[in-house]
Amino acid sequence: MADLRTGLIGLLLLAVSSLTSGCMPAAFLSTEGHAKRVHKQMQSIYEASEEYETDHGSLPAGRYLAPKEELISGGYIKRFPQPHSSIFGKPNPEGYRYAPRYDNMDASRNPDSAIVLWGLRDEICEAFNNLYSSNNSGPTIFDWEAAGKRYPGEAIGRNMLIYAIKWKTEDVDNCEVNWVLEYHE
């Protein structure tokens, strides 16, 4: 019983210490807190890619791992942030996907550049959209299927740079957050 009490007191002291230091452990964040953290982490990747593009005239080339490694080895970002596991509906081993040629997100001929975090619980996407969506859509998640299998860049316009999108098919039922780096012609 004494060990249990000591453990609980230690946990309580850790929580109080975290709260008073301004450092909130991810496990204690609210849904909105997690959405803010995702935005902050994506923004750090975005800023690193902007700096890289300024120095090199384009985003790093390649798919997924190569561009990440280029940003890290070039000193543009120390490491890619890791989202907290509690925000996912199912485990997401990839974390943030950085893709200079992610997908055709605006009906042009060329794949567009984006930072993507997929496999999220809907409430995380709702909170993210409520805070950061490019068209101030509130908690509404853009529904890819209902929009005729189109991204917001095509259905709404290329002003849609930051948004949550819902994927629901027979095999998939999750949402993802997209931060479009660049629409290509």
Side-chain angles (χ1 to χ4, degrees):
M1 187 68 169
D3 288 337
L4 178 61
R5 209 172 321 143
T6 302
L8 289 173
I9 290 171
L11 186 58
L12 181 61
L13 289 174
L14 176 64
V16 169
S17 165
S18 296
L19 290 173
T20 58
S21 71
C23 176
M24 177 66 82
F28 295 123
L29 291 177
S30 65
T31 300
E32 186 175 283
H34 279 295
K36 288 178 178 179
R37 185 172 189 192
V38 166
H39 182 268
K40 183 177 180 178
Q41 290 176 333
M42 289 182 102
Q43 186 171 17
S44 72
I45 299 168
Y46 171 77
E47 289 170 356
S49 69
E50 287 286 292
E51 188 177 343
Y52 182 96
E53 188 172 26
T54 298
D55 290 350
H56 300 277
S58 66
L59 297 172
R63 303 242 339 139
Y64 311 127
L65 293 179
K68 282 183 179 182
E69 291 171 6
E70 184 71 22
L71 290 175
I72 293 168
S73 68
Y76 295 96
I77 194 167
K78 285 186 179 183
R79 63 178 175 81
F80 262 65
Q82 194 59 39
H84 194 267
S85 61
S86 68
I87 67 174
F88 298 107
K90 296 179 181 174
N92 182 346
E94 283 186 48
Y96 292 98
R97 181 179 278 189
Y98 178 82
R101 300 183 61 75
Y102 178 63
D103 200 357
N104 185 341
M105 303 169 83
D106 66 345
S108 70
R109 292 182 298 229
N110 297 309
D112 302 303
S113 303
I115 304 164
V116 179
L117 184 61
W118 57 272
L120 300 170
R121 296 188 340 255
D122 284 357
E123 58 268 22
I124 300 297
C125 286
E126 289 167 353
F128 185 91
N129 253 15
N130 195 40
L131 294 166
Y132 304 110
S133 174
S134 293
N135 69 345
N136 300 313
S137 63
T140 304
I141 302 171
F142 182 86
D143 190 324
W144 184 79
E145 189 76 29
K149 298 183 179 180
R150 297 181 302 162
Y151 281 92
E154 180 181 1
I156 297 171
R158 293 173 69 151
N159 62 313
M160 290 299 294
L161 298 173
I162 301 173
Y163 54 83
I165 185 168
K166 180 72 173 169
W167 301 102
K168 187 166 185 167
T169 65
E170 288 182 21
D171 301 324
V172 177
D173 183 7
N174 65 39
C175 64
E176 70 181 37
V177 172
N178 288 207
W179 186 314
V180 178
L181 297 169
E182 192 171 58
Y183 286 112
H184 301 286
E185 295 297 324

